[in-house]
Amino acid sequence: MTRPVVVVPDLHGRADLLAEAVAYVEATHGPDAHLLSLGDAIDRGPQSLACAALLLDLHRQGRATLLMGNHERMAQEGLQWYRQYLSSRDLADYRRAMEGLSWWMSNGGESVRREAGGLTLEAFPPALAEYLDTLERVVYVTADGELHQTPPQEPSVLVAHASPPVQHRQYPNPESAALWLRPFEGPFPLPEGVTYSVHGHTPVCNPVRLGRHVYLDLGAYETGRLALLTVNVTGRPEVTVLEGRGNPGAARRYPNFGEPLPTRTVSLTGR
C-alpha cells in the first residue's frame, strides 16, 4: 500500500499553522498520510512548546517522522552536556552545558524561555526534551511512502533540514552539514538513486527548485505562509501553500534564486 508523505518545513513556533496543516493533509490525503517535519519547529514564534508537543503526539501515533533543524541542534547542546554532568559531576561538563544553553538563548531560544515562563537546564520542559530526543537528521522516501535512514536500492527523495549530507570544510560530519549549509555553499551531490532533495532552513519568497534541490521555508513564523510538499519520487512534487495570519511582505527581504515551483494556495483567513 502506498501512503502519501507530506513534508512540512520550518514552523518556528506557529502551532496554529501546524494544526491547520494536519487538518488539511488529513482532509486531502486521508488518515494514512504521513507528515515529515523538516525541523526548526521551535524558536522565534509564539508557541514553540505547543509545536513540539503536537509533533511529538503525531510521532507517537506513527503519523509523523521528525527531523532535526539547526535550532533544535542548538537547543540540544546544553541539555546533552547537562545530562553528562549529572553522570560525571565534572564542572567542565557543567560549564559546557551553560555555554550550550547561552548559544541557544542568543539564537532564538529566548522566545521558548518566555513561553515557558522561565527555562533552566535543571528545569528543562520534559516534553521538549523528549521531542529533541526523537529527532532524526536525514531520511529517504521511496515511492511506497516508506522512510529509510540510508539510501535504498530503489529511487527515492532525500529529505533533510538544510542540505544533503555532504563533506564540507566547515562541517566534517556530513549529517551536521545537513543542518546548516545554505544553497550557495553547494554544489551538493546526491547519492545514486536519489531523484531530488527537499529542504527548509533558507527562507524563500516562494517554493523553488535549484538544480535537483527543492527549498520550502517561506518564513511561516512572520509571513503566515506555510508550504506543504507531497513527495513524488519520479515526477514533479505537488506543493500547497497555506496562508494564515502574518505579514507576507516580510518575504521581500528573502533571497531570490532558483526556479519557482507551481503551487496551490489555500487561504486560512476569512473562513
Side-chain angles (χ1 to χ4, degrees), residues 192-245:
E192 184 176 354
V194 172
T195 55
Y196 61 93
S197 64
V198 180
H199 311 287
H201 185 54
T202 298
V204 290
C205 298
N206 292 290
V208 298
R209 180 194 291 269
L210 183 64
R212 293 166 62 199
H213 314 296
V214 172
Y215 295 91
L216 295 177
D217 179 9
L218 303 183
Y221 78 97
E222 58 180 353
T223 66
R225 303 176 72 234
L226 179 68
L228 305 176
L229 180 145
T230 304
V231 173
N232 182 347
V233 173
T234 58
R236 186 186 292 273
E238 172 190 311
V239 182
T240 299
V241 176
L242 306 183
E243 295 190 338
R245 293 180 297 101

Side-chain angles (χ1 to χ4, degrees), residues 123-162:
F124 202 91
L128 179 58
E130 185 179 352
Y131 165 73
L132 295 174
D133 290 340
T134 300
L135 303 176
E136 303 178 47
R137 296 205 180 192
V138 182
V139 296
Y140 301 82
V141 185
T142 45
D144 57 4
E146 293 302 310
L147 275 61
H148 309 259
Q149 267 84 40
T150 57
Q153 293 186 340
E154 62 263 47
S156 64
V157 171
L158 184 158
V159 185
H161 176 65

